[in-house]
Amino acid sequence: MDKQTETTSQSHQINVRRVRQGDLDHVADLDERVTKIAKTEYWNDIFERYAKRRVKERFFLVAEATDDSSEQPLLGYIVGEVRTWEFGSEPCGWVFAFSVEPGTRLQGIGEKLFGAISQKFRQTGINTMRTMVPRQNQLHMAFFRSEGMVAGPYIQLEKDLNE
Amino acid sequence: MKLQTSSRLAIFALIELAADPDRQVSVSEIGQKYNVSSHHLAKVMHTLGRAGLVRSIRGVGGGYSFSGNAKRTTLFDVIMLFEDADSSEYTPEGSQDATLAEWALGQVLFEINDIAKATLESITISTMLKQMGRRQSTLAASGMKDASESAVQ
């Protein structure tokens, strides 16, 4: 499993904080390097909505190295928000974007981002957080499982509209 | 989904050993804990040894210790040593000579298999240990004992 993971032996001192305008290019760049798809407009929109509006229930967090050990200014990001009564669900936290710099994985950066957003969600008074992962993405599936996430009470359904 | 006895024993044994990789545990000790015959368990341990997941130490005080990577070894990896959990009997396309009803049922069974496989592929021995730790904390907080604690010691 987890054959996509790349690591370096170097570990970093990490700080997790809210995203700033100057981080946006680095976030978009990390996402593009990992997914091979450039989404500049998407990230501009996410920044406008998740870094500027309703920030008490929307969290766009980034991890940065606090020492000089990293060539990359940002080592990862996580984005989520509290959603209320979607699909009849009581308020819960949703994580919908998450990535860690490939060369710095398995050093606890993802765990710090996950822990930070969990804490932010808890501070809003909710007790549950959710995410959605492609079944074939073993890297993310294994990570979220290792953080204690299990299958929830909902099943995602879809339909091919061309059938 | 039902696992074969050998798969279940292998997972239990790996959890037991990976919980403390420096400890050597005898087959009879594990067998006693999970109420299975040492003979059956010895065969399972032999398979795990050939896969490089456990190491056998001979002599007085010998036994088995964990030699795999708990963060990399998934339940699917272990189960595949003992049974074909990756059955391709059902596919999204289905068999060419299947009736429509057989094709439709095959779709349902493929979906179930695919979800089960993805689940088993995403859970490592390390994740199982973490899950057990969280359960133990919950039980301790509520003043209850877990089954393994009351069964063996």
Side-chain angles (χ1 to χ4, degrees), chain A residues 47-106:
Chain A
F47 183 80
E48 286 299 315
R49 290 193 287 142
Y50 288 85
K52 293 185 176 176
R53 295 183 221 155
R54 293 168 53 192
V55 292
K56 285 184 180 171
E57 58 200 46
R58 291 178 170 176
F59 308 105
F60 187 162
L61 309 178
V62 295
E64 62 183 355
T66 54
D67 50 22
D68 296 331
S69 58
S70 174
E71 292 173 9
Q72 299 293 341
L74 285 188
L75 301 178
Y77 61 81
I78 194 164
V79 194
E81 68 175 327
V82 176
R83 295 181 189 168
T84 305
W85 303 124
E86 269 188 353
F87 314 109
S89 164
E90 298 220 346
C92 78
W94 270 93
V95 169
F96 64 86
F98 170 65
S99 193
V100 171
E101 181 64 40
T104 63
R105 287 175 185 167
L106 294 177

